[in-house]
Amino acid sequence: MYEWDFTPVIQNADLLWQGLVGTLAITGTALAFGLPLGLMLALARLSPRRWLAWPAGFVIEFFRTTPPLVQLFWFFFALPILIDIRMTPFLAAAITFSIQSSAFFAEVFRAGIVSIERGQWEAARAIGMQRKQAMRRVILPQAVKRMIPAFTERAIELMKTTTLVATVSYADLLYQANELAQKTFRPIEVFTATALIYFVVIFGLSLCVQAIERRLAVSGDSTVR
Amino acid sequence: MSDDPILRIRGLQKSFGDNHVLRGMDLDVKQGDCIAILGASGSGKSTFLRCLNFMEIPSDGEIIHAGKTVGTARNGKPRLYPEGELTKVRQKVGMVFQQFNLFPHMTVLGNVTEGLRIVQRMDKTGAETRAREELARVGLAEKADEYPARLSGGQKQRVAIARALALAPDLMLFDEPTSALDPELVGEVLNVIRGLADEGRTMLLVTHEVGFAYHVANRVIFMAAGVIQEEGPPEQVLKNPKNPRTQAFLSRHKQFEF
C-alpha cells in the first residue's frame, strides 16, 4: 500500500506558486493579445472586401490546423534564424499562443456575429447606419453576449494548452511540477496537487463567468436559462 | 414645399437569380399620400417596399427621391448604389418591419435615440427629448426605461414606429406591420398608423387588412406577378375592381367589413 505524503509538496509550495504565476502570465498575455486580434481577424474575414477576407481566412485556418507544439517550436527555434531576434521562452510562448488563440477566437466571434438575425442588420440600416456603425452598436454587443460560453471554453482550452511551454523551458506550473517531482521523488503527490491547482483555478474562473453571464441577462436575451 | 412627388419610381425591377420578383413598377408618391399595397403572398409587394429604402438593391429602373435619382448610372451595367448615399436616403424613408426588429440590448428609449445619436450625431439631451415626444405619440412614454423583452408585441411595434419617426422621415414604409401580432393586439398598432395618416404623413403600407386599407388609404395598389395590376382610390379598387385578378383576390377576402 502506497503511503501518501504531501509534506514535500507543501514545503515547496512556493515553487508551484511561481509556476502558477507563470501559467497565468502566459494565459493572460495570450488573452490580452488574442482577443483583439481575433476580433480583427473575424471582422476582416466577414468583410465584403475580398483582399481583406481572403488573407484573414488563411491565417485563421492555418493556425487552427497546425499543432500548437509545432508553432511553438517554429517561433522558438526557427524564427531567430530567419530574423535577428533574441528569442526567450516567454516571448516564443506569447507569440504562439496570442496568434493561435486569436485564430480560435476569430471563429468564435464570427459564429457569434453571423448568429444575429438579419432583421437586426436591417433595422440598423433602416435608421441610416453604415455597416460599421451597425456592427459596433447593434450586432457586436448582442454577439458578444451569445459568445460568452464558447469564449470561456476557448480560454480554458488555452490555459490547458499552455502546458506545452514547458517543452521550451518556460517555468509554467507543469514545468515547476516536473522539477519538483524529480527533486523530491514524490511524482504522485506533486502531480496530484498540480492537477488540483488547475482544477481549482479553471473551475473558479468558470463559475465567475457564469455569474457575469447571469448579470448580463437583464435584457432577456441570454444564454443562461 | 413643392408639388414634386416625394418619390418617383420608374421601371423598377428586382430579380433574385432567375426569379423575377418585380417586373417593372412605376409609381409616384405625393406629399400626404397614404398608399396601401395589397396582393397575394409572392406577388412582390414586400420586395417592392423593401426596394424603396434599399433593403433590397434594385436590379433595374430608377428611384427618384425628393427630386434626385438615387445611385449612379453605369454604362450597360446595373446602377451603383454607394453606401453613403443610401444611408442619407434611409434617414428620410422610415421603415417598420413585420417582426419589429427592436434592438434587444437597448432600452425602449435607447432604441428610439439610437439613430439620432449615432447617425445624426445629436447630443444626449436633445435626442432623449425628441425620443420621448415620439414615444408619447405612440402612447408609450411610460415604457421608456423598459427593455423590449418586457413589452407585448403591439407595444414593440409601436416602439418600432417611434424609432422610425424620430428621424423625422418624409416617407414611412410599413411592411405588414400587424401580421406577426396576436389578433387582440392588432388594433392598437393600426390606431397609431391611422393617427399618422390623419396627420397627413406620407406613407406606403403593405397589408392584409383590407378593411383598414379601405378606411385609411387614399390610394390602393393591387399587385400580382411583380407588376401593378390595378391602382386607384379605395372605393374603386376594393368595391368595383376591374382587373379579374383583383376580383379573385378580394373574393377570397370577403370577410372584411367596410
Side-chain angles (χ1 to χ4, degrees):
Chain A
M1 184 69 186
Y2 184 80
E3 278 187 33
W4 293 78
D5 181 8
F6 279 94
T7 329
V9 178
I10 293 161
Q11 276 168 353
N12 292 290
D14 59 322
L15 270 181
L16 291 182
W17 171 251
Q18 284 164 19
L20 177 61
V21 171
T23 290
L24 292 177
I26 195 64
T27 308
T29 308
L31 282 176
F33 287 99
L35 272 176
L37 197 59
L39 177 59
M40 282 192 283
L41 281 173
L43 292 179
R45 192 174 197 179
L46 288 168
S47 165
R49 301 189 184 95
R50 216 168 281 170
W51 56 266
L52 254 176
W54 200 87
F58 178 77
V59 170
I60 292 168
E61 292 311 327
F62 187 82
F63 278 90
R64 265 160 36 103
T65 50
T66 47
L69 191 56
V70 174
Q71 298 164 8
L72 182 63
F73 280 6
W74 195 89
F75 282 114
F76 189 65
F77 296 115
L79 190 61
I81 300 172
L82 289 176
I83 58 168
D84 187 24
I85 183 174
R86 217 180 67 81
M87 190 54 79
T88 64
F90 178 79
L91 187 57
I95 297 175
T96 305
F97 289 108
S98 296
I99 301 180
Q100 201 248 356
S101 57
S102 79
F104 280 99
F105 285 134
E107 286 301 275
V108 175
F109 274 115
R110 190 171 72 108
I113 290 167
V114 301
S115 78
I116 303 298
E117 303 72 32
R118 204 175 61 144
Q120 291 291 308
W121 280 105
E122 293 189 344
R125 281 156 63 207
I127 55 173
M129 281 190 178
Q130 298 159 5
R131 187 187 143 82
K132 60 176 187 239
Q133 290 173 325
M135 183 67 94
R136 181 171 57 85
R137 297 285 309 173
V138 175
I139 305 301
L140 268 181
Q142 297 182 63
V144 165
K145 210 184 257 185
R146 286 187 195 179
M147 277 164 27
I148 291 173
F151 165 78
T152 314
E153 181 65 28
R154 273 327 307 176
I156 288 171
E157 209 54 48
L158 168 67
M159 189 162 186
K160 293 192 289 186
T161 315
T162 59
T163 47
L164 293 175
V165 297
T167 58
V168 294
S169 307
Y170 176 82
D172 78 327
L173 181 53
L174 180 63
Y175 181 88
Q176 296 289 79
N178 202 21
E179 295 278 294
L180 188 58
Q182 292 182 16
K183 201 171 94 177
T184 60
F185 303 105
R186 285 281 172 185
I188 298 184
E189 288 84 350
V190 170
F191 289 119
T192 305
T194 304
L196 278 176
I197 295 173
Y198 275 112
F199 169 75
V200 168
V201 171
I202 292 179
F203 189 63
L205 285 177
S206 169
L207 287 181
C208 287
V209 173
Q210 279 183 33
I212 294 171
E213 224 180 326
R214 250 181 235 113
R215 182 162 298 184
L216 282 176
V218 276
S219 67
D221 179 47
S222 160
T223 47
V224 175
R225 288 289 166 237
Chain B
M1 188 46 108
S2 69
D3 286 345
D4 279 351
I6 287 175
L7 208 61
R8 280 203 314 233
I9 298 132
R10 291 289 175 270
L12 184 69
Q13 294 190 36
K14 176 66 184 177
S15 307
F16 299 96
D18 290 338
N19 184 14
H20 303 291
V21 180
L22 299 179
R23 297 163 177 266
M25 301 278 297
D26 298 278
L27 185 70
D28 283 1
V29 183
K30 295 187 200 67
Q31 173 79 31
D33 266 347
C34 176
I35 301 176
I37 305 169
L38 303 179
S41 61
S43 60
K45 56 192 192 307
S46 271
T47 304
F48 173 60
L49 202 71
R50 289 164 56 80
C51 281
L52 302 186
N53 72 342
F54 303 93
M55 289 292 110
E56 306 289 353
I57 298 298
S59 308
D60 201 1
E62 290 181 354
I63 294 174
I64 302 127
H65 175 257
K68 188 181 170 302
T69 309
V70 182
T72 326
R74 290 185 299 178
N75 263 345
K77 285 196 275 183
R79 295 181 75 83
L80 195 66
Y81 291 98
E83 189 187 33
E85 198 178 338
L86 298 189
T87 57
K88 287 207 181 68
V89 174
R90 287 175 186 144
Q91 290 174 55
K92 286 283 151 200
V93 182
M95 184 156 208
V96 172
F97 301 90
Q98 182 178 350
Q99 300 293 341
F100 332 131
N101 297 343
L102 292 184
F103 306 133
H105 58 304
M106 300 179 192
T107 62
V108 164
L109 191 65
N111 268 275
V112 184
T113 52
E114 187 66 8
L116 296 168
R117 298 285 313 273
I118 302 304
V119 179
Q120 302 193 339
R121 309 253 168 231
M122 195 185 274
D123 66 284
K124 190 164 187 276
T125 338
E128 289 187 353
T129 312
R130 179 85 193 82
R132 284 182 198 281
E133 279 171 27
E134 294 304 341
L135 284 174
R137 186 198 303 275
V138 300
L140 290 173
E142 79 286 3
K143 297 284 183 192
D145 298 320
E146 294 279 11
Y147 280 93
R150 303 198 37 157
L151 303 182
S152 73
Q155 290 171 332
K156 283 181 192 169
Q157 192 60 298
R158 284 147 67 196
V159 173
I161 293 172
R163 175 172 69 181
L165 290 176
L167 298 176
D170 50 29
L171 172 66
M172 284 283 284
L173 308 174
F174 292 91
D175 187 7
E176 302 195 25
T178 58
S179 298
L181 294 175
D182 292 337
E184 73 270 21
L185 301 175
V186 168
E188 61 184 86
V189 172
L190 290 184
N191 280 340
V192 168
I193 297 173
R194 186 196 306 261
L196 297 176
D198 291 345
E199 287 173 24
R201 281 186 190 261
T202 315
M203 59 177 83
L204 269 79
L205 172 74
V206 168
T207 186
H208 294 292
E209 306 279 340
V210 180
F212 183 73
Y214 180 81
H215 287 292
V216 174
N218 66 329
R219 289 160 75 194
V220 171
I221 288 172
F222 177 75
M223 275 183 75
V227 291
I228 295 176
Q229 303 281 346
E230 190 158 1
E231 182 194 345
E235 300 78 28
Q236 179 197 313
V237 178
L238 298 177
K239 282 195 165 161
N240 302 300
K242 307 268 183 298
N243 187 301
R245 288 199 191 213
T246 320
Q247 291 164 355
F249 175 81
L250 287 171
S251 71
R252 288 195 301 270
H253 283 75
K254 263 289 174 260
Q255 70 276 26
F256 74 87
E257 74 272 3
F258 286 134

